[in-house]
Amino acid sequence: MEALYEMGEYKKVLSFLEMLERSRRSQRHYHIALQACKNLNDLELGVQLMRDMEKDGVIVSEKEYEVVLDICTVMKMSMIQPLIQEMERKGIPKSLDVYDKMVRACTLDYDWEAALELLQDMGDNNVDIDDKLAQKLIFIFGACGKLE
């Protein structure tokens, strides 16, 4: 599977997973398949694979959510919210990477208010901002005329 992924054969990665007996699928198999979905921009299949993981008793971790959230960030923040709420219901903490993907979606939407809420949420959850995220926040606040 990894070799197929490295060669850019994303549809073949998904076909390989489909051929693999469900009882033999590991978190690594699913993660590679989710990466393939990301490269194919297939959000629907990515979410379905996460559901399949749960059905198969494979743990869906923060890393799998991050991959699927990456697919969402080429779309709208409204696509991300249900996944974030699901993470929260399951007790999966939001990492800096998750916040980064959410802020990226805010940047694409020019939604400075949502970005401000995320900044406050990061503070409430003791998540430190790195330079990359700070630049995105400065961009969105500046582009929306909110920097003084």
Side-chain angles (χ1 to χ4, degrees):
M1 255 181 106
E2 288 184 50
L4 290 170
Y5 180 82
E6 294 299 323
M7 293 187 308
E9 297 288 344
Y10 307 124
K11 289 186 180 199
K12 288 182 181 178
V13 167
L14 298 171
S15 294
F16 182 88
L17 181 72
E18 209 172 283
M19 292 186 315
L20 193 60
E21 288 179 38
R22 290 185 82 109
S23 62
R24 300 192 67 207
R25 294 178 185 178
S26 69
Q27 188 177 33
R28 182 76 181 140
H29 290 126
Y30 276 111
H31 191 80
I32 294 167
L34 287 169
Q35 290 284 357
C37 289
K38 174 184 163 188
N39 285 294
L40 294 169
N41 264 342
D42 194 336
L43 176 62
E44 188 176 324
L45 183 56
V47 171
Q48 182 57 52
L49 285 176
M50 285 195 338
R51 301 295 172 255
D52 289 349
M53 288 177 77
E54 290 174 337
K55 286 179 193 172
D56 293 346
V58 177
I59 295 172
V60 180
S61 75
E62 175 186 315
K63 294 296 178 194
E64 283 74 40
Y65 276 99
E66 287 176 10
V67 173
V68 175
L69 287 169
D70 257 346
I71 302 170
C72 294
T73 56
V74 298
M75 298 170 196
K76 299 280 184 191
M77 187 64 171
S78 60
M79 305 287 292
I80 292 176
Q81 277 313 116
L83 291 170
I84 298 301
Q85 291 167 350
E86 182 177 311
M87 286 178 68
E88 289 172 347
R89 276 193 311 275
K90 292 180 177 182
I92 299 172
K94 291 178 278 199
S95 66
L96 180 61
D97 286 336
V98 169
Y99 280 107
D100 183 73
K101 289 162 188 19
M102 292 168 33
V103 169
R104 186 176 351 146
C106 292
T107 302
L108 295 172
D109 288 345
Y110 288 90
D111 188 350
W112 68 271
E113 291 170 323
L116 182 59
E117 288 176 20
L118 290 172
L119 186 59
Q120 291 168 336
D121 191 50
M122 289 177 71
D124 292 346
N125 290 305
N126 297 317
V127 176
D128 293 329
I129 299 173
D130 66 359
D131 291 341
K132 183 173 78 169
L133 185 58
Q135 289 175 352
K136 287 178 184 154
L137 289 165
I138 290 169
F139 170 81
I140 191 168
F141 294 135
C144 295
K146 299 300 172 186
L147 289 179
E148 295 181 22

